[in-house]
Amino acid sequence: MSGEDAPAEQQNAVDQKQETKPAEEPKAEEPKTEPAPAAAEASPAATTEKVPEEDTFTYRALVLTGYGGYDKVKLQVKKGKPVLKAGEVLVRVKACGLNFADLMARQGLYDRLPSPPVTPGMECSGVVEAVGEEVTDRKVGDKVMALNRFGLWQEVAVVPATHTFLIPEGMSFEEAAALPVNYITAYMMLFDFGNLRPNQSVLVHAAAGGVGIAATQLCNTVKDVTVFGTASASKHETISQGGVTHPIDYRTKDYVEEVRKISPKGLDIILDPLGGSDTHKAYNLLKPMGKLITYGAANMLAGQKKNLIAVAKNWYHQFSIHTLSLIQGNKSVCGFHLGYLDGETELITQVMSTILDLYKQGKVKPHIDSTWHLEQVGDAMRKMQERNNIGKVILTTEPMPEEEKKEEPKKEDKKEDKKKDDKKKDDKKKDDGKKEEKKDDKKKEEPKKEEKKEEEKKEEPSKEEK
Amino acid sequence: MSGEDAPAEQQNAVDQKQETKPAEEPKAEEPKTEPAPAAAEASPAATTEKVPEEDTFTYRALVLTGYGGYDKVKLQVKKGKPVLKAGEVLVRVKACGLNFADLMARQGLYDRLPSPPVTPGMECSGVVEAVGEEVTDRKVGDKVMALNRFGLWQEVAVVPATHTFLIPEGMSFEEAAALPVNYITAYMMLFDFGNLRPNQSVLVHAAAGGVGIAATQLCNTVKDVTVFGTASASKHETISQGGVTHPIDYRTKDYVEEVRKISPKGLDIILDPLGGSDTHKAYNLLKPMGKLITYGAANMLAGQKKNLIAVAKNWYHQFSIHTLSLIQGNKSVCGFHLGYLDGETELITQVMSTILDLYKQGKVKPHIDSTWHLEQVGDAMRKMQERNNIGKVILTTEPMPEEEKKEEPKKEDKKEDKKKDDKKKDDKKKDDGKKEEKKDDKKKEEPKKEEKKEEEKKEEPSKEEK
């Protein structure tokens, strides 16, 4: 995850414009269900006659074309096969994870993403289609999950082999795309900064979110840990089943009061994705020797475009702490964001290895909220931003069936999602995750072709992104 | 260590004035080498005829009479046997530990000490001489070490039984008085906030001080931990032998540069007792996922009286951190001070139990710099404040021999100290720890009788101290 690791294809590819909806017909070279043969990289693709593959190779990529609303992320077609540098692998992407940082990035609030036009995406799963020189521990055909600072929301992605992790037996591509960011984040917060031990108490905000569910599962790997989890009432049943000891409806109740009723002395660990005034509350809610771990500023996100009032309010209320207060309180304040852990490959690999062991033991398992086609990225982001998800929101690179393109996305019951999770037929299943009450909103947001064309500037391969 | 636990004798005792030097003859009731008989509490002392012991019982106590220089701590004689409340024990004190907080307290810079007149002292060792009701796990004759917010620098101390810990076989009273504050502090910083693990790197400031030596020893209980330790060059040999990997002479070198030469990426854990601008340096010297643990503001101490410029400078440079910076750096800032861990008896007991196990395994052992009579408390404090100590500065309640009172304190070689440590005849040995080069200074500081009498106000037993 070094800063120099921008996907190589961004330098090689020449992009082609493509409307988000309706999408073009999938190209012949597009998502293959079998891994490409090992020779694919060196020799011209068999499907084209004598034209070099470098010219005919195309793939679809999501591109953030400018800061703003959900429609700023467009589906484009890029041309030209990425050239691998030593140590890199080319991954045929199957599924991608959405993260809060992606939502921040779209509004221009995340400085780890280069300026638009750029392909976002911090995690994906897929199959290794080619390996560069000096890659010894990955081979063509390996099923992997990948982590990168950005650039993974596309059908083919180039990443250093050290940023990939082998998918264990029985884990679907959707689960694999859901796992890295949320579980590494939750693990490092709880077990590195938090130093979680038996009998301790933890507050997990947004307990039904990706990190929230991961954190709850990880808390439950330690004996007698009490988990307080905030979520709207409709999600309480799910998070209780998932291991939250005390669900709190933050919309109708003061979570500080609720926690104090049960744990008058306060808490050992608080995970704070909110920022602003909630960080102050969290600090005051810590026990002596308590740890506050802040990992975001979700309070800054109000509406789909950058909300200057929300940003200013968050900034104004931003938590600032003097050491004297820390000393007198015997408290710890930590900040975590995986996106800034550039270059800590060894550390991340170690943590991933532990998490995958826990997965194999059945102790953790990503919970997929819904899976969306690349064309539906706007809706997928909206679902997450409006906190209508339970668990992870996933993008799939599977082509969108013609009939789905022509009609409104189908309503989907969340309970169906859960069943699908269990069936593990993730690659085959599509879940447009649409809630009926959002249809009206959605129509307003439906990207209009005319506007889009103006906004889509030619994406010049940029050296800066390298 | 609850805030309500001011030693009970402070409410009962009626003080008598006593000159620090020369001291009065030890009273018949004063330090006994054998534990008092179990009946001592209930029945009048055998040595006095028919006068109730409550009236004849006297003991010497150090009293902070006002904020200021070394001479503000006076030796006084108090009268009246303390009455025990349920859960308390009366300890016949053998040795007391000096801590940096005591130096801060003398200057009025430590808010956990009630206003003068008050007896300072956070730790001591001794023998249980009486137990109050409901005390089941301590009995008369038990050798114990004790921790309290203050009030332990006297010949008899009353503390809750839960604030005492049994002294293990083979540990001297001096070691026992040296252990609690320094080792609990170092342990909780390294293993609770710091979450120290194999292969990590730690910066220990004042590595030859009490906490510094404890921290170094504790670091060495973890595999392949690299310890950077600052100390003046003359102490390097000792701290190297004690386990510091890279000693740094902070007086002649920039410790930040020295660390970077060896560990360019920075450090995993930094223990910061200095405050002010050194906290800023420490923060910048942290690796990603690094932890800065600040536990004091030694930089505020400049000279023996409160130095307003030093205090203001420290305040001005006081470290204040925004959560955004923590997030972007993936860093943790923690504050620790044992004096504010009121009421965390269970936690402290658990930590002490672990430390005593390490002692029994020979993995940790307090290093005594020097032992001083109660009359010499000013010199003892000076030695610590001027950073001339290597290890712990201890007070003993043993009466000062007549010949020592009449002549200047003897010069003492530090190497002699070390030998004495090893001999473990701590109770019998006195070490006035005087360095020849300080004689001149000392004469100036020698408390003058006339001044002292004026300063010594009648110490009214104070309800507020309760």
Side-chain angles (χ1 to χ4, degrees):
Chain A
M1 268 138 297
S2 145
E4 288 78 52
D5 297 325
E9 70 270 30
Q10 297 200 351
Q11 304 147 49
N12 305 309
V14 177
D15 65 331
Q16 293 184 337
K17 295 295 163 293
Q18 181 186 359
E19 297 312 323
T20 306
K21 286 174 195 174
E24 284 175 22
E25 282 293 339
K27 298 280 184 298
E29 297 81 359
E30 284 191 335
K32 291 164 188 150
T33 41
E34 283 85 359
E41 189 197 7
S43 65
T47 47
T48 56
E49 280 162 63
K50 275 165 190 168
V51 188
E53 193 187 15
E54 282 64 27
D55 296 344
T56 60
F57 189 99
T58 63
Y59 56 97
R60 296 181 303 152
L62 288 171
V63 176
L64 179 68
T65 54
Y67 300 130
Y70 303 118
D71 60 338
K72 292 294 184 187
V73 183
K74 321 267 190 201
L75 186 59
Q76 301 181 351
V77 174
K78 297 200 176 185
K79 199 174 167 185
K81 184 160 186 172
V83 176
L84 296 181
K85 287 184 287 192
E88 290 181 336
V89 296
L90 186 145
V91 177
R92 175 64 61 176
V93 176
K94 299 291 185 183
C96 312
L98 253 75
N99 289 292
F100 236 81
D102 299 316
L103 306 181
M104 305 285 280
R106 200 197 62 236
Q107 298 197 358
L109 295 170
Y110 180 57
D111 66 1
R112 300 305 278 165
L113 191 76
S115 305
V118 61
T119 291
M122 298 168 72
E123 60 189 341
C124 73
S125 60
V127 178
V128 174
E129 195 166 288
V131 298
E133 285 174 19
E134 296 170 26
V135 174
T136 54
D137 54 353
R138 295 287 177 270
K139 60 184 191 304
V140 171
D142 278 349
K143 292 181 178 179
V144 294
M145 52 193 100
L147 259 182
N148 216 56
R149 235 177 71 199
F150 60 96
L152 301 185
W153 286 359
Q154 46 191 351
E155 286 178 331
V156 292
V158 174
V159 290
T162 53
H163 292 197
T164 65
F165 311 94
L166 293 173
I167 297 179
E169 201 68 37
M171 185 187 278
S172 69
F173 283 118
E174 288 187 347
E175 281 186 330
L179 188 133
V181 172
N182 289 170
Y183 282 78
I184 292 174
T185 297
Y187 187 91
M188 294 186 81
M189 291 197 296
L190 288 172
F191 295 109
D192 194 327
F193 281 147
N195 194 10
L196 177 63
R197 283 156 300 164
N199 300 306
Q200 291 193 320
S201 53
V202 182
L203 173 60
V204 177
H205 280 292
V211 174
I213 287 176
T216 303
Q217 290 178 358
L218 288 167
C219 282
N220 282 291
T221 65
V222 178
K223 201 165 168 269
D224 297 331
V225 167
T226 303
V227 181
F228 294 82
T230 66
S232 52
S234 64
K235 300 175 180 176
H236 283 197
E237 197 187 329
T238 312
I239 63 172
S240 290
Q241 285 167 0
V244 169
T245 326
H246 302 290
I248 301 171
D249 181 4
Y250 68 98
R251 297 187 199 222
T252 59
K253 287 182 176 168
D254 177 341
Y255 65 83
V256 173
E257 276 177 29
E258 295 302 303
V259 168
R260 289 273 183 211
K261 277 183 204 166
I262 296 159
S263 190
K265 280 182 71 178
L267 300 169
D268 292 299
I269 298 176
I270 298 177
L271 306 184
D272 162 40
L274 304 172
S277 58
D278 286 290
T279 313
H280 291 260
K281 288 183 188 175
Y283 185 76
N284 293 325
L285 202 47
L286 286 180
K287 261 187 196 170
M289 300 308 292
K291 289 118 191 152
L292 161 59
I293 304 151
T294 183
Y295 65 105
N299 285 342
M300 274 209 270
L301 278 188
Q304 61 160 314
K305 294 186 186 177
K306 181 153 80 178
N307 180 324
L308 284 177
I309 292 172
V311 171
K313 200 169 151 192
N314 198 76
W315 183 257
Y316 180 79
H317 287 296
Q318 205 203 1
F319 190 66
S320 167
I321 182 73
H322 273 255
T323 47
L324 192 62
S325 161
L326 290 168
I327 290 174
Q328 293 181 342
N330 282 295
K331 291 178 180 181
S332 164
V333 178
C334 321
F336 184 84
H337 202 294
L338 188 54
Y340 297 91
L341 272 185
D342 292 63
E344 297 300 318
T345 311
E346 200 182 326
L347 185 61
I348 301 288
T349 305
Q350 213 177 318
V351 170
M352 267 302 273
S353 156
T354 308
I355 292 167
L356 293 176
D357 282 345
L358 291 170
Y359 178 87
K360 289 171 203 165
Q361 294 162 30
K363 290 184 179 167
V364 301
K365 182 178 171 62
H367 184 106
I368 312 295
D369 172 76
S370 51
T371 303
W372 307 71
H373 292 285
L374 294 183
E375 291 85 344
Q376 299 170 308
V377 63
D379 297 330
M381 288 192 290
R382 178 200 300 277
K383 186 160 193 202
M384 193 172 171
Q385 186 166 328
E386 294 182 352
R387 304 187 192 195
N388 288 319
N389 59 312
I390 298 188
K392 192 76 175 183
V393 177
I394 292 289
L395 298 173
T396 174
T397 56
E398 286 256 314
M400 195 169 179
E402 273 309 297
E403 59 272 29
E404 286 188 33
K405 288 178 192 168
K406 281 163 196 159
E407 58 187 45
E408 276 296 299
K410 289 164 199 154
K411 176 178 93 172
E412 174 143 336
D413 188 329
K414 273 180 210 153
K415 279 181 186 156
E416 256 183 79
D417 280 358
K418 277 190 250 164
K419 284 179 208 154
K420 281 185 187 175
D421 265 352
D422 297 333
K423 285 182 198 161
K424 290 185 185 170
K425 295 184 181 172
D426 317 59
D427 263 18
K428 303 293 172 198
K429 296 216 170 286
K430 296 300 140 271
D431 166 2
D432 61 12
K434 211 78 266 351
K435 287 178 80 179
E436 198 164 29
E437 67 267 30
K438 273 171 36 198
K439 272 189 183 167
D440 289 350
D441 269 13
K442 198 175 167 296
K443 277 176 196 156
K444 283 180 244 153
E445 290 303 321
E446 208 80 68
K448 287 167 195 71
K449 285 188 190 181
E450 294 69 22
E451 283 177 21
K452 278 181 66 192
K453 275 192 182 147
E454 281 176 350
E455 284 164 11
E456 278 179 8
K457 288 184 226 148
K458 185 85 178 165
E459 183 190 358
E460 290 295 332
S462 155
K463 290 286 178 197
E464 287 79 359
E465 289 173 16
K466 191 179 173 182
Chain B
M1 269 137 297
S2 144
E4 287 78 51
D5 296 326
E9 70 271 30
Q10 296 200 352
Q11 304 147 47
N12 305 306
V14 177
D15 65 330
Q16 293 185 337
K17 295 295 164 288
Q18 180 186 2
E19 295 312 322
T20 305
K21 286 175 195 173
E24 286 177 19
E25 282 293 341
K27 298 279 184 299
E29 297 81 359
E30 282 190 336
K32 292 163 189 151
T33 41
E34 284 85 0
E41 189 196 6
S43 65
T47 48
T48 56
E49 279 163 64
K50 275 164 191 171
V51 188
E53 192 187 17
E54 282 64 27
D55 295 343
T56 60
F57 189 99
T58 62
Y59 57 95
R60 295 180 305 152
L62 289 170
V63 176
L64 179 68
T65 55
Y67 300 130
Y70 303 118
D71 60 338
K72 291 294 184 186
V73 183
K74 321 267 190 199
L75 186 59
Q76 300 181 350
V77 174
K78 297 199 175 185
K79 198 173 167 186
K81 184 158 188 173
V83 177
L84 296 182
K85 287 184 288 193
E88 289 181 336
V89 296
L90 186 146
V91 177
R92 175 64 60 176
V93 176
K94 299 291 185 182
C96 313
L98 253 75
N99 288 292
F100 236 81
D102 299 316
L103 306 181
M104 305 286 279
R106 199 197 63 236
Q107 297 197 359
L109 295 170
Y110 180 58
D111 65 2
R112 299 307 277 165
L113 192 75
S115 304
V118 61
T119 292
M122 300 168 72
E123 61 189 339
C124 72
S125 61
V127 178
V128 174
E129 195 166 289
V131 298
E133 286 174 19
E134 296 169 26
V135 174
T136 55
D137 54 352
R138 295 289 176 269
K139 59 183 191 305
V140 172
D142 277 349
K143 292 181 178 180
V144 293
M145 53 193 100
L147 260 180
N148 216 56
R149 236 178 72 200
F150 61 95
L152 302 185
W153 286 359
Q154 47 191 351
E155 286 178 331
V156 292
V158 174
V159 290
T162 53
H163 292 198
T164 65
F165 311 94
L166 293 174
I167 298 179
E169 200 69 37
M171 184 187 279
S172 69
F173 283 117
E174 288 187 347
E175 282 185 330
L179 188 134
V181 171
N182 289 170
Y183 282 78
I184 293 174
T185 297
Y187 186 92
M188 295 186 80
M189 291 196 297
L190 289 172
F191 295 109
D192 193 326
F193 282 146
N195 196 9
L196 177 63
R197 285 157 300 165
N199 299 308
Q200 291 193 320
S201 52
V202 182
L203 173 59
V204 177
H205 280 291
V211 174
I213 288 176
T216 304
Q217 290 178 358
L218 289 167
C219 283
N220 282 290
T221 65
V222 178
K223 201 165 168 267
D224 297 330
V225 167
T226 303
V227 181
F228 294 82
T230 66
S232 52
S234 63
K235 300 175 181 177
H236 283 197
E237 197 188 327
T238 312
I239 63 172
S240 291
Q241 286 168 359
V244 169
T245 326
H246 302 291
I248 301 171
D249 181 3
Y250 67 98
R251 298 187 197 221
T252 59
K253 287 183 177 168
D254 177 342
Y255 66 84
V256 172
E257 276 178 27
E258 295 302 304
V259 169
R260 289 272 183 214
K261 277 183 203 165
I262 296 160
S263 191
K265 280 183 71 178
L267 300 170
D268 293 298
I269 298 176
I270 298 177
L271 307 184
D272 162 39
L274 303 172
S277 58
D278 286 291
T279 312
H280 292 260
K281 289 184 188 174
Y283 185 76
N284 294 326
L285 201 47
L286 286 179
K287 260 187 196 171
M289 299 307 294
K291 289 118 191 150
L292 161 59
I293 304 152
T294 182
Y295 65 105
N299 285 341
M300 274 210 269
L301 278 188
Q304 60 160 317
K305 295 186 185 177
K306 182 153 81 178
N307 180 324
L308 285 176
I309 293 172
V311 171
K313 202 169 149 191
N314 198 75
W315 183 258
Y316 180 78
H317 287 297
Q318 206 204 0
F319 189 66
S320 167
I321 183 73
H322 274 253
T323 47
L324 192 63
S325 162
L326 289 169
I327 289 174
Q328 293 181 343
N330 283 294
K331 290 179 181 181
S332 164
V333 178
C334 321
F336 184 85
H337 201 294
L338 188 55
Y340 297 91
L341 271 185
D342 292 63
E344 297 301 317
T345 310
E346 201 182 327
L347 185 60
I348 301 287
T349 304
Q350 215 177 316
V351 170
M352 267 301 273
S353 156
T354 308
I355 293 168
L356 292 177
D357 282 347
L358 291 171
Y359 178 86
K360 290 172 203 165
Q361 294 162 29
K363 290 184 179 167
V364 302
K365 183 176 172 62
H367 184 106
I368 312 295
D369 172 75
S370 51
T371 303
W372 308 71
H373 292 286
L374 295 182
E375 291 86 343
Q376 298 170 309
V377 63
D379 297 329
M381 289 191 290
R382 177 200 300 277
K383 186 161 195 202
M384 193 172 170
Q385 185 164 331
E386 293 182 354
R387 304 186 192 195
N388 288 320
N389 59 312
I390 298 187
K392 192 75 175 185
V393 177
I394 292 289
L395 298 173
T396 175
T397 56
E398 285 255 314
M400 196 171 178
E402 272 309 297
E403 59 272 27
E404 284 189 33
K405 288 178 194 169
K406 281 165 195 159
E407 59 187 46
E408 275 296 300
K410 289 165 197 154
K411 175 178 93 171
E412 176 146 331
D413 190 328
K414 273 181 209 154
K415 279 181 186 158
E416 256 184 81
D417 281 355
K418 277 191 248 162
K419 282 179 208 155
K420 282 184 185 174
D421 266 350
D422 296 333
K423 285 182 198 160
K424 289 185 184 171
K425 295 183 180 172
D426 318 59
D427 263 18
K428 305 292 172 198
K429 294 216 170 286
K430 295 301 140 272
D431 167 1
D432 62 10
K434 211 80 267 320
K435 286 178 78 180
E436 198 165 30
E437 67 266 31
K438 272 171 37 199
K439 272 189 182 168
D440 288 349
D441 269 14
K442 198 173 168 296
K443 277 176 194 156
K444 282 181 245 153
E445 289 303 321
E446 207 81 68
K448 288 169 194 71
K449 285 188 189 180
E450 293 69 24
E451 283 177 22
K452 279 181 66 193
K453 276 191 180 148
E454 280 175 347
E455 282 164 14
E456 277 180 9
K457 289 184 225 150
K458 184 86 179 169
E459 184 191 358
E460 289 295 333
S462 156
K463 292 285 177 196
E464 287 79 0
E465 290 174 16
K466 193 179 172 180

